Amino acid sequence: MAAEPTLSNLATESRSFAPSEAFAAQANVKAEAYDRAAADREAFWAEQADRLHWTKRWDRVLDWDAPFAKWFVGGELNVAYNCVDRHVADGYGEQVAFHWEGEPGDTRTITYADLQREVCKAANALTELGVQAGDRVAIQLPMIPEAAISMLACARLGAAHSVVFGGFSPGALKARIEDADAKLLITSDGQFRRGKPAPMKENTDKAVAETSSIEHVLVVKRTETEVPWTEGRDLWWHDVVDKQSDQHEARSFDAEQPLFILYTSGTTGKPKGILHTSGGFLTQTAYTHHAVFDHKPGESVYWCTADIGWVTGHSYIVYGPLANRATSVMYEGTPNTPHEGRHWEIIQKYGVSIYYTAPTLIRTFMKWGKEIPEKYDLSSLRVLGSVGEPINPEAWMWYRENIGKGNCPIVDTWWQTETGAIMISPLPGVTATKPGSAMRTLPGISAEVVTEEAQPVGPGGGGYLVLDKPWPAMLRGIWGDEQRFRETYWSRFAEQGYYFAGDGAKYDDDGAIWLLGRVDDVMNVSGHRISTTEVESALVSHPTVAEAAVVGASDPTTGQGIVAFVILRGNAAKDGGEEAIKALRDHVSAEIGPIAKPRQIMVVEELPKTRSGKIMRRLLRDVAENREVGDVTTLADSSVMDLISAGLKDSS
Ligand code: ATP
Ligand code: MG
């Protein structure tokens, strides 16, 4: 008897979109890269490392003593020099690095020469405050240029930054300061949130009061909010940084010098302090930004909408793009301030050619309606990207048609805080993409989908996504906790030495990879292992549904029953009646089979999400199983769970 499948493969997709001939002809990376990289992985990555400026060449490309990797062993470089100074030295000082757009509509244009001056001044200021190579600096700032400048100043000095998302509570900041033992905190007086200034320093003060390592707090003035002040400890950025010399000599550091610590989003539980180092990280972020987005320095206008508090902001707002001499848009605010067309207005204003965002936002745009983007000129767009969650095929099609106007390749990029850079993604000039699939590993990257027993599942099969070979931007550990590092990532397939990412995936019959959500969320219905992603995508493919989250709730007859929470689209939003629910259940049944028909569907106004916009299913499982709702500290809006629970009581 055949072993039970690790994950059932229910959904099929026949649509496929090849790049246009014109796009393919001019693409940065062609199909031959896959074979070249497979033939000699280390030589391939050495070639990519040559995109950077090294002051001392490495002796060895890779030293792999699982689970510990060293890349470009013996090599030396300065990350900030690579991201800023060398472009100025090459004669591109007048090229814009950031078109910054503030939420209230104020703007700043920062050229590479400006950025060099600002980073040098900040590096001098940090030195004056006692920051040295090997130290840790905590940064909690809104999306303002000083966020990138602070990160680069740390990198320049060989100090590791730990950026904490601006919306996090004093408790979350405190835990991160303590864990990293940071000596300096960089923050701001306040931050704009939906058109209003909200205090920031007031919160960071609460965190600092409960820690002992912080010697100084450097405060950027952003909102003119009144702030509490501790004489001697607190310093204004404009007092300390502005007076510094704009000359600073960048020292070289070992390729394995810690660059930053960043805590994961906390979708599944307590965040982990992921450590990244310098040479390998910069090599892979630069290469993938070049390859996946088809970025052309001096020509492309690139916009990644992530917050700098997440890994996407680190790798694809700061390090990768700057290493590639990108001209980027940086936007401070929310997508509906002051109106729901804000993103499209910005794309039109700056002629954005590459736009990289998250499925949660695409589904929100769907909910708001296509009439909004229709009012703007989006013809500058060439490439569209997605990251953060599996993108539902329907959202992918909406993105393609309404934003890309059918002309832009979509790159669905799978990666994690831990991987540091994109791992699985189409190449826009090569891959014929399927809506909802991240397609295949990038050149130089290797992954497998395996069963519980570590057997490759083969075409049509589903299972655990593992990374079976080391990669340059891989995490070097969990800060200060080797035990947790080994247990979390390397214990499940210890014998094979595979890194296990926590995600489920399948191959379709053509060998394309489909990410199927967290394996912890997989539902077991009458012995069928069903992924949340496939059922959610079936729901979202119904014209009335904007967003869906499904969970398995214990069921006396089937083991688990599927419970779905749906948000209806704008014009359907009022109709959550019995008829409509029945239609949705039948729709899922017709799309992927009766086994996946939800036992229960509940219409809700909002879904519980992390601050980075990912659906937190474990909380919904608590609701579906009538339990008290678990830890909500990483939730973006903790009132959402009250709303959902209250709504359910009303309808029962
Ligand atoms: P935690 O590990 O603390 O629970 P997290 O996993 O949400 O938090 P991140 O590192 O920000 O923290 O997110 C990485 C995860 O996001 C991946 O493991 C995967 O589940 C999901 N993900 C990211 N991009 C994609 C994508 N393109 N397709 C499918 N899933 C994706
Ligand atoms: Mg994770």
Side-chain angles (χ1 to χ4, degrees):
M1 204 180 92
E4 249 180 45
T6 305
L7 252 173
S8 307
N9 180 352
L10 298 174
T12 51
E13 176 59 68
S14 53
R15 293 168 289 191
S16 172
F17 301 92
S20 70
E21 260 173 50
F23 194 104
Q26 60 79 62
N28 287 349
V29 177
K30 309 277 202 290
E32 58 79 37
Y34 292 110
D35 296 335
R36 202 154 41 82
D40 189 341
R41 186 180 310 274
E42 290 186 20
F44 175 81
W45 284 115
E47 187 191 308
Q48 305 318 322
D50 271 328
R51 313 171 64 78
L52 307 179
H53 175 85
W54 298 80
T55 49
K56 180 168 172 280
R57 212 179 163 70
W58 55 88
D59 309 312
R60 215 151 13 116
V61 174
L62 172 66
D63 178 346
W64 177 228
D65 180 11
F68 298 101
K70 290 190 182 126
W71 282 85
F72 310 111
V73 185
E76 290 183 7
L77 78 171
N78 185 290
V79 168
Y81 178 87
N82 270 282
C83 290
V84 184
D85 305 59
R86 70 168 163 145
H87 305 315
V88 179
D90 289 346
Y92 299 104
E94 293 316 303
Q95 185 186 319
V96 174
F98 288 111
H99 290 293
W100 178 78
E101 184 84 17
E103 195 185 77
D106 50 338
T107 60
R108 279 165 74 181
T109 306
I110 299 176
T111 64
Y112 275 95
D114 295 333
L115 191 59
Q116 184 182 35
R117 284 189 287 269
E118 294 306 318
V119 172
C120 286
K121 284 199 274 181
N124 285 325
L126 264 53
T127 304
E128 192 176 294
L129 296 177
V131 174
Q132 294 178 354
D135 287 342
R136 271 84 52 208
V137 174
I139 300 173
Q140 188 173 37
L141 284 172
M143 287 291 288
I144 54 178
E146 285 77 6
I149 292 165
S150 299
M151 291 163 77
L152 291 163
C154 290
R156 194 170 185 98
L157 298 174
H161 52 72
S162 166
V163 180
V164 179
F165 173 61
F168 271 144
S169 66
L173 175 61
K174 166 188 176 266
R176 285 160 178 75
I177 288 174
E178 275 186 339
D179 190 62
D181 202 24
K183 66 151 57 156
L184 174 71
L185 169 68
I186 306 178
T187 188
S188 65
D189 54 349
Q191 59 181 331
F192 289 108
R193 274 273 151 244
R194 297 178 200 288
K196 283 196 226 66
M200 178 90 113
K201 179 156 192 303
E202 206 177 297
N203 289 333
T204 59
D205 267 13
K206 287 183 194 143
V208 173
E210 290 179 38
T211 56
S212 55
S213 60
I214 295 289
E215 296 167 7
H216 289 289
V217 180
L218 191 55
V219 189
V220 179
K221 187 169 266 187
R222 171 60 186 137
T223 52
E224 308 279 339
T225 306
E226 234 182 276
V227 292
W229 202 256
T230 303
E231 236 19 92
R233 183 196 69 187
D234 299 348
L235 302 155
W236 285 111
W237 175 284
H238 55 259
D239 285 341
V240 182
V241 178
D242 289 0
K243 65 170 192 211
Q244 303 289 333
S245 153
D246 60 11
Q247 304 291 311
H248 178 272
E249 196 170 337
R251 192 183 128 192
S252 299
F253 294 99
D254 190 88
E256 288 297 332
Q257 179 77 9
L259 180 62
F260 64 86
I261 302 165
L262 181 66
Y263 294 79
T264 54
S265 312
T267 310
T268 54
K270 184 173 173 267
K272 302 165 279 276
I274 304 301
L275 172 66
H276 282 287
T277 60
S278 301
F281 174 81
L282 197 61
T283 297
Q284 194 179 333
T285 51
Y287 172 67
T288 50
H289 176 260
H290 161 84
V292 172
F293 300 113
D294 201 49
H295 174 262
K296 318 277 191 213
E299 244 174 77
S300 303
V301 179
Y302 167 81
W303 184 18
C304 166
T305 70
D307 190 280
I308 247 161
W310 312 120
V311 72
T312 308
H314 284 55
S315 304
Y316 296 107
I317 293 179
V318 179
Y319 293 110
L322 291 175
N324 289 340
R325 188 168 45 89
T327 293
S328 295
V329 168
M330 187 184 204
Y331 174 52
E332 181 182 35
T334 43
N336 51 354
T337 307
H339 57 81
E340 291 173 346
R342 192 74 163 107
H343 277 212
W344 322 126
E345 181 180 78
I346 291 174
I347 289 173
Q348 173 179 289
K349 175 172 174 186
Y350 294 105
V352 170
S353 50
I354 304 165
Y355 177 72
Y356 188 29
T357 194
T360 180
L361 214 50
I362 298 167
R363 293 186 304 248
T364 303
F365 294 142
M366 281 170 77
K367 194 166 62 182
W368 291 344
K370 65 176 165 48
E371 308 70 42
I372 295 170
E374 264 166 13
K375 290 187 217 138
Y376 299 88
D377 177 7
L378 305 180
S379 60
S380 57
L381 289 169
R382 295 179 57 240
V383 178
L384 302 176
S386 171
V387 63
E389 288 181 290
I391 178 166
N392 317 102
E394 213 48 43
W396 195 101
M397 288 303 296
W398 189 93
Y399 197 25
R400 177 182 157 82
E401 281 161 15
N402 296 291
I403 308 304
K405 313 290 178 192
N407 297 320
C408 302
I410 295 180
V411 288
D412 173 14
T413 64
W414 179 87
W415 59 295
Q416 309 177 298
T417 308
E418 294 89 339
T419 69
I422 300 170
M423 303 293 281
I424 306 177
S425 167
L427 286 176
V430 178
T431 317
T433 50
K434 302 185 187 192
S437 171
M439 301 305 296
R440 68 178 287 189
T441 49
L442 288 176
I445 299 299
S446 181
E448 263 296 354
V449 182
V450 300
T451 64
E452 195 84 52
E453 295 77 36
Q455 295 305 309
V457 297
Y464 300 87
L465 178 71
V466 297
L467 303 170
D468 57 346
K469 302 243 164 55
W471 62 100
M474 71 192 290
L475 77 167
R476 300 305 198 257
I478 293 181
W479 184 254
D481 200 342
E482 186 179 322
Q483 188 62 18
R484 194 175 177 206
F485 172 58
R486 288 181 186 274
E487 265 164 29
T488 310
Y489 307 109
W490 304 94
S491 62
R492 189 140 195 175
F493 298 103
E495 212 177 296
Q496 295 75 19
Y498 293 164
Y499 167 92
F500 173 54
D503 289 346
K506 70 175 187 186
Y507 289 120
D508 66 15
D509 293 336
D510 304 327
I513 299 175
W514 293 73
L515 276 306
L516 295 179
R518 321 278 175 161
V519 291
D520 298 345
D521 291 333
V522 169
M523 303 172 288
N524 194 330
V525 183
S526 308
H528 296 266
R529 297 214 170 83
I530 300 174
S531 94
T532 51
T533 303
E534 291 194 324
V535 181
E536 287 166 5
S537 289
L539 284 162
V540 173
S541 74
H542 192 275
T544 61
V545 177
E547 282 211 79
V550 312
V551 297
S554 53
D555 186 290
T557 46
T558 56
Q560 280 188 322
I562 299 178
V563 178
F565 298 79
V566 299
I567 300 178
L568 299 178
R569 287 207 207 188
N571 45 6
K574 294 284 158 281
D575 186 11
E578 239 169 80
E579 285 289 295
I581 298 295
K582 181 174 180 304
L584 288 181
R585 296 179 68 226
D586 291 344
H587 177 73
V588 174
S589 182
E591 284 289 301
I592 57 179
I595 188 71
K597 194 169 181 165
R599 180 183 80 185
Q600 200 182 354
I601 295 183
M602 312 198 239
V603 176
V604 294
E605 295 283 327
E606 288 293 344
L607 290 169
K609 289 184 182 162
T610 61
R611 312 277 170 138
S612 58
K614 298 176 210 248
I615 299 171
M616 276 168 91
R617 292 177 191 74
R618 66 180 169 82
L619 299 179
L620 293 172
R621 209 177 306 129
D622 291 341
V623 172
E625 295 185 335
N626 293 315
R627 254 193 318 275
E628 198 170 319
V629 173
D631 183 10
V632 294
T633 48
T634 54
L635 209 56
D637 173 2
S638 55
S639 67
V640 166
M641 289 316 296
D642 300 338
L643 260 174
I644 291 175
S645 304
L648 297 185
K649 280 192 200 95
D650 287 353
S651 62
S652 60

